[in-house]
Amino acid sequence: MSEDGSDVTRLDVKGKQEAYHDWEARTYEDKFNISYDDRCIDYARDRFRRVVDEGERFSRVLELGAGTGFLTINLALAGCLDGAELTVTDISSGMLDVCVENGRRHGVTLQPQPGDAEALPFPDASFDLVLGHAFLHHLPDPAAALAEAHRVLVPGGTLVIAGEPTRLGDRIAGVFKRAAWGGFRAVTTVPRLRHLRRPGIVESGGDARDAALAGLEHEVDLHTFDPADVEAMARVAGFAPVRVVTEELLANWVGWAVRTIEASVRPGVLGERWAFGAFNTWRRLSRIDRALEGVVPAALFYNLILHARRPVG
Ligand SMILES: C[S@@+](CC[C@H](N)C(=O)[O-])C[C@H]1O[C@@H](n2cnc3c(N)ncnc32)[C@H](O)[C@@H]1O
């Protein structure tokens, strides 16, 4: 790669995904406040249990676009994947390296396999559960990934993809992100508070290549989804039955404001109390959101969960 990073901008879309996520791998968890404690274990378990019953057991599990392992490791720690062989795949080897290290640190054995979710490196009918979290919106062709998930699942196998942004929910969230960012920038113009700002790439020792890679952030989020389109896409891929659930309204507005501040603030400033406080607020608002489901149109909620089965026949 060139020193000034000029070649980064010439990569195709998948090259950009790989380069950006390789570069981001070591700081990704700090940016999104990902952990492997009660906070994230509860979050992962609650997403999974919205669509998968307690009694269901799986023996061969694959996560697509697994990143640093947030979903699989936290579900394993929650006891949702007991006894299963866990395979993780991602287009970014850098992410998978961190994922395997995280697994080791938390006593979860993972089989890593770099690969493109649109052309999976696994034989047909290899898994009985395929998982994904916040990856589908990065793919140029999400329908191809659903077709691949269908291919690698055994008949009767289950697909669960969570954490995908809805089109309307994302637009509304944008208002809260911009407000939080503007508020944080305004408050930290006060000289006494300036040190709270996260240092820029160059300020924190990065070079032009790092700056070019960081600039890809705005090119790697490719989609937001209409829930009905995701349902139709899964049916076309061959899944039946298919169910799409949306969640997080008020919780998401506050959640994005919190995440925007977390991504803007100098690492280490906020600490665990902030993380748990923010999570508890998010939980309280989620309860209100649950009560609003069925009253407020599903498309206004931010987070989409897809649950589908490969038919037996
Ligand atoms: C926002 S991160 C989510 C990571 C993880 N699932 C999580 O929830 O923390 C998106 C992930 O999708 C991966 N990705 C992007 N394009 C991909 C593709 N075509 N095939 C597989 N993974 C891909 C990225 O490398 C990155 O790890």
Side-chain angles (χ1 to χ4, degrees):
M1 197 177 278
S2 66
E3 270 179 26
D4 66 357
S6 53
D7 48 355
V8 165
T9 53
R10 289 197 293 272
L11 292 169
D12 67 11
V13 64
K14 288 201 181 152
K16 285 181 178 174
Q17 294 287 352
E18 189 179 351
Y20 176 74
H21 287 103
D22 277 348
W23 173 81
E24 193 194 31
R26 301 268 157 199
T27 53
Y28 174 78
E29 298 199 325
D30 178 48
K31 181 173 165 194
F32 288 103
N33 222 340
I34 288 176
S35 58
Y36 302 92
D37 54 18
D38 287 349
R39 184 173 59 88
C40 286
I41 292 172
D42 287 357
Y43 181 87
R45 183 207 292 112
D46 290 352
R47 308 286 70 66
F48 189 67
R49 288 289 171 228
R50 279 220 63 174
V51 292
V52 177
D53 291 338
E54 284 278 351
E56 288 201 54
R57 291 278 172 274
F58 304 96
S59 56
R60 287 171 296 159
V61 176
L62 170 69
E63 184 178 353
L64 309 175
T68 57
F70 162 74
L71 185 63
T72 295
I73 296 173
N74 280 308
L75 285 181
L77 295 175
C80 299
L81 307 177
D82 282 355
E85 185 181 292
L86 306 175
T87 303
V88 282
T89 184
D90 198 290
I91 203 166
S92 157
S93 303
M95 282 285 197
L96 284 185
D97 290 345
V98 178
C99 184
V100 171
E101 279 170 34
N102 280 336
R104 202 173 297 134
R105 202 168 301 134
H106 297 284
V108 178
T109 304
L110 300 169
Q111 312 297 330
Q113 176 66 61
D116 181 352
E118 294 177 13
L120 289 171
F122 305 105
D124 296 357
S126 303
F127 302 97
D128 54 5
L129 173 64
V130 170
L131 294 169
H133 184 265
F135 83 101
L136 199 64
H137 65 281
H138 287 282
L139 309 184
D141 188 355
L146 296 188
E148 278 294 86
H150 182 272
R151 180 183 68 75
V152 302
L153 274 169
V154 295
T158 302
L159 172 69
V160 177
I161 297 178
E164 298 297 342
T166 65
R167 189 162 299 141
L168 282 175
D170 186 64
R171 276 201 206 138
I172 302 169
V175 174
F176 287 87
K177 286 185 214 176
R178 284 191 292 279
W181 193 79
F184 180 80
R185 297 296 288 184
V187 167
T188 54
T189 48
V190 176
R192 226 164 21 92
L193 300 177
R194 260 197 98 83
H195 70 282
L196 293 176
R197 289 186 182 179
R198 184 177 287 263
I201 299 287
V202 175
E203 217 185 317
S204 46
D207 54 20
R209 189 177 140 264
D210 291 307
L213 284 160
L216 296 181
E217 180 178 12
H218 305 292
E219 296 187 48
V220 295
D221 284 333
L222 302 182
H223 307 280
T224 54
F225 298 104
D226 185 324
D229 292 346
V230 174
E231 192 172 329
M233 214 167 21
R235 288 192 196 283
V236 169
F239 288 99
V242 175
R243 187 155 73 105
V244 172
V245 175
T246 59
E247 56 177 13
E248 292 192 33
L249 189 71
L250 308 178
N252 180 261
W253 302 348
V254 172
W256 268 115
V258 165
R259 275 193 289 278
T260 303
I261 291 169
E262 287 170 351
S264 310
V265 87
R266 182 179 289 277
V269 166
L270 296 173
E272 259 193 29
R273 268 184 71 183
W274 160 280
F276 275 92
F279 181 62
N280 287 331
T281 305
W282 177 90
R283 270 201 134 162
R284 270 180 230 118
L285 292 172
S286 291
R287 276 185 222 120
I288 301 176
D289 290 347
R290 282 301 286 271
L292 293 173
E293 286 175 21
V295 179
V296 175
L300 289 179
F301 289 77
Y302 179 87
N303 255 337
L304 182 153
I305 307 177
L306 166 66
H307 176 258
R309 273 191 211 283
R310 178 176 171 160
V312 176

